[in-house]
Amino acid sequence: MTRRGRPGPSARTRDLAACSVHVDLYLVFGPALEVLVASQLTYLRSDPFAVRLVCHADLADPVTWYLSRNTLTVGLWAPAGQGDVTVRPGTGPERGSILIGLRTTDGAVELRGCAWELREFLEQTERVVPLGAEHRHVDLDALIRQLTQDG
């Protein structure tokens, strides 16, 4: 028998195009010095491989980083990433934390956040696009246009 009325959970979650959460991250300067940085994590179905991290630091404009969803997911359990972005679980006194290393030509910083908050956010992203299904949501025509534009 088919029940009419409110759609079931799978129908509702298929309609999600994005998810976003506010998180408190701490800029780590040393073992005893951290500064709170209000941040937001956003995931869009239209950009299925990336998570946007917007940090509202003490600057005129917020700083935005694009992180690999896969790197964040793996980084919950083991060191992940290379180059500009690394993610690793906290150990010892940092147990229960997630550490995100960000590197630019000007230097490097490390952000510490709550691992369970990141885990919950990543679970939300899976309701937008299941892991492994990202390729189904890439607009290849738009990507080709962007890559072949003059100037």
Side-chain angles (χ1 to χ4, degrees):
M1 173 194 284
T2 303
R3 183 175 161 190
R4 293 183 184 231
R6 289 178 39 189
S10 61
R12 281 195 306 267
T13 57
R14 262 195 319 255
D15 295 337
L16 289 177
C19 62
S20 186
V21 297
H22 293 278
V23 294
D24 288 335
L25 296 176
Y26 294 87
L27 184 57
V28 179
F29 289 101
L33 181 57
E34 296 182 347
V35 175
L36 176 64
V37 178
S39 304
Q40 183 171 2
L41 293 168
T42 302
Y43 180 77
L44 305 172
R45 182 186 305 150
S46 60
D47 193 5
F49 291 102
V51 169
R52 285 172 181 76
L53 169 62
V54 178
C55 298
H56 300 277
D58 194 16
L59 300 169
D61 295 315
V63 177
T64 302
W65 283 84
Y66 293 84
L67 312 174
S68 159
R69 179 170 71 156
N70 186 59
T71 298
L72 289 172
T73 301
V74 173
L76 283 168
W77 311 107
Q82 58 186 0
D84 294 341
V85 178
T86 58
V87 181
R88 64 184 172 86
T91 58
E94 296 173 331
R95 188 177 176 100
S97 295
I98 192 78
L99 299 161
I100 302 170
L102 305 172
R103 187 177 320 270
T104 70
T105 55
D106 296 328
V109 298
E110 185 170 67
L111 298 170
R112 183 183 62 78
C114 182
W116 69 264
E117 285 182 334
L118 178 60
R119 191 174 307 113
E120 284 185 355
F121 170 73
L122 291 170
E123 287 173 3
Q124 289 178 28
T125 71
E126 288 188 60
R127 290 190 286 273
V128 177
V129 175
L131 285 173
E134 296 89 351
H135 65 283
R136 295 184 194 139
H137 299 279
V138 175
D139 184 348
L140 290 178
D141 292 332
L143 182 60
I144 291 169
R145 275 193 305 277
Q146 182 181 5
L147 293 172
T148 58
Q149 284 179 345
D150 291 334

